[in-house]
Amino acid sequence: MAKRIDISGLSAYYGNHKAIDDISMTVEPRSVTAFIGPSGCGKSTFLRTLNRMHEVTPGGRVEGKVLLDDENLYGKDVDPVAVRRTVGMVFQRPNPFPTMSIFDNVAAGLRLNHSYKKNKLAEVVEKSLRGANLWNEVKDRLNKPGSGLSGGQQQRLCIARAIAVEPQVLLMDEPCSALDPISTLAIEDLIGELKERFTIVIVTHNMQQAARVSDRTAFFNLAAIGQPGKLVEIDDTERIFSNPSVQATEDYISGRFG
Ligand SMILES: Nc1ncnc2c1ncn2[C@@H]1O[C@H](COP(=O)(O)OP(=O)(O)O)[C@@H](O)[C@H]1O
Ligand SMILES: [Mg+2]
């Protein structure tokens, strides 16, 4: 079962610099939530607090709570490695393991965490590549390096790798910003399919993309340069793009700043 995310009072720091301040929101299961806002307002930082990756950065520190179906990911006995398996991440630049084959790229996480029999592994790899809409393009060259694929294919390979371990939540940080328009549409279609199985949070600087793929949109902003980023509002995507509650949101989506 997909789980609900409930974030409260979340702040994140780099050393003494507070990057995001006191963010609270909920994310419903099997939905797509888009994070939008000007560069530097903390979207990536906030995303990385949702699978305990922020604290990997030297000086990275988090305050507040992230509940995944009532369990605090920042609880005392919680293993951050297990959290990162449950809450997967896809990055801005496709980052397949360069020396590994297509097959091994998808199998990598499975091999780490399970003692799969060989035929079972092949089954999950195929299922994941199908899930990422990549199977038909790569089924005849599974042993070729993942780095030989096009950018859009590499990004779908990274999505296959992320979903192979069956996460609950998939975080995507500008997953299309390095891709051409056709690959971008392929990823957007894929997001629409994946949300039937996963809860998805996507950072995008592309307003049309947010409007196309997401159910809910969260707008983040900086009160001033040097100040921490804040959540301005979160609402149904349709509403954010037609009749937002806050003037700053209206200004941003209509391109008056940022
Ligand atoms: N590794 C880092 N070390 C120090 N400060 C960082 C680091 N990454 C980001 N920041 C700072 O945190 C703030 C938010 O950045 P970021 O989360 O990348 O914003 P966005 O994704 O919205 O562009 C910015 O002020 C940025 O300079
Ligand atoms: Mg960013």
Side-chain angles (χ1 to χ4, degrees), residues 12-15 17-20 35-48 54 57-60 92 173-174 203 220 222 225-229:
Y13 299 80
Y14 295 94
H17 174 61
K18 192 184 216 180
I20 51 171
F35 289 176
I36 61 169
S39 181
C41 70
K43 304 177 298 295
S44 296
T45 303
F46 182 46
L47 200 69
R48 289 194 298 264
H54 175 66
T57 308
Q92 191 165 357
D173 195 352
E174 303 197 25
V203 175
F220 296 83
L222 292 164
I225 302 293
Q227 295 287 307

Side-chain angles (χ1 to χ4, degrees), residues 148-169:
L149 298 172
S150 74
Q153 289 172 327
Q154 286 187 25
Q155 195 59 302
R156 281 178 283 144
L157 180 63
C158 293
I159 292 172
R161 180 176 68 190
I163 64 179
V165 296
E166 299 199 13
Q168 300 283 339
V169 181

Side-chain angles (χ1 to χ4, degrees), residues 7-254:
I7 300 147
S8 55
L10 197 113
S11 299
Y13 299 80
Y14 295 94
N16 292 326
H17 174 61
K18 192 184 216 180
I20 51 171
D21 180 44
D22 194 20
I23 294 175
S24 300
M25 69 165 75
T26 56
V27 176
E28 295 306 317
R30 297 198 169 92
S31 66
V32 179
T33 301
F35 289 176
I36 61 169
S39 181
C41 70
K43 304 177 298 295
S44 296
T45 303
F46 182 46
L47 200 69
R48 289 194 298 264
T49 68
L50 303 183
N51 75 343
R52 296 201 53 174
M53 274 189 42
H54 175 66
E55 68 209 54
V56 174
T57 308
R61 191 161 60 79
V62 176
E63 289 167 353
K65 277 190 201 167
V66 180
L67 306 185
L68 189 59
D69 239 23
D70 297 331
E71 193 194 8
N72 185 5
L73 302 185
Y74 287 92
K76 229 173 39 198
D77 302 323
V78 174
D79 172 11
V81 175
V83 170
R84 288 171 208 139
R85 199 151 60 225
T86 310
V87 184
M89 182 98 155
V90 174
F91 299 87
Q92 191 165 357
R93 300 218 144 259
N95 60 346
F97 303 123
T99 58
M100 276 189 200
S101 70
I102 292 168
F103 185 96
D104 288 344
N105 258 284
V106 182
L110 296 165
R111 287 201 172 109
L112 273 180
N113 303 313
H114 306 270
S115 48
Y116 273 107
K117 297 233 163 53
K118 225 177 170 181
N119 56 349
K120 172 74 175 160
L121 194 63
E123 198 179 290
V124 178
V125 167
E126 175 174 342
K127 183 173 163 230
S128 307
L129 285 167
R130 283 188 189 282
N133 285 341
L134 188 59
W135 176 249
N136 286 334
E137 290 158 67
V138 300
K139 62 178 186 231
D140 299 322
R141 47 170 166 158
L142 293 175
N143 294 318
K144 297 267 158 54
S147 52
L149 298 172
S150 74
Q153 289 172 327
Q154 286 187 25
Q155 195 59 302
R156 281 178 283 144
L157 180 63
C158 293
I159 292 172
R161 180 176 68 190
I163 64 179
V165 296
E166 299 199 13
Q168 300 283 339
V169 181
L170 213 48
L171 308 175
M172 300 182 161
D173 195 352
E174 303 197 25
C176 302
S177 63
L179 305 182
D180 61 80
I182 296 199
S183 305
T184 295
L185 285 181
I187 301 279
E188 289 182 6
D189 284 347
L190 177 56
I191 289 170
E193 290 170 25
L194 292 175
K195 82 168 186 186
E196 290 173 18
R197 289 161 59 206
F198 306 101
T199 304
I200 296 175
V201 182
I202 178 176
V203 175
T204 178
H205 62 258
N206 180 327
M207 298 299 114
Q208 286 76 28
Q209 178 164 80
R212 281 194 298 262
V213 304
S214 72
D215 304 293
R216 305 264 293 167
T217 296
F219 173 60
F220 296 83
N221 204 1
L222 292 164
I225 302 293
Q227 295 287 307
K230 282 184 166 279
L231 172 65
V232 175
E233 64 177 313
I234 177 167
D235 210 330
D236 291 345
T237 295
E238 232 181 88
R239 176 153 186 142
I240 289 284
F241 284 96
S242 62
N243 186 22
S245 310
V246 181
Q247 185 62 40
T249 312
E250 170 92 48
D251 291 347
Y252 183 74
I253 59 164
S254 61

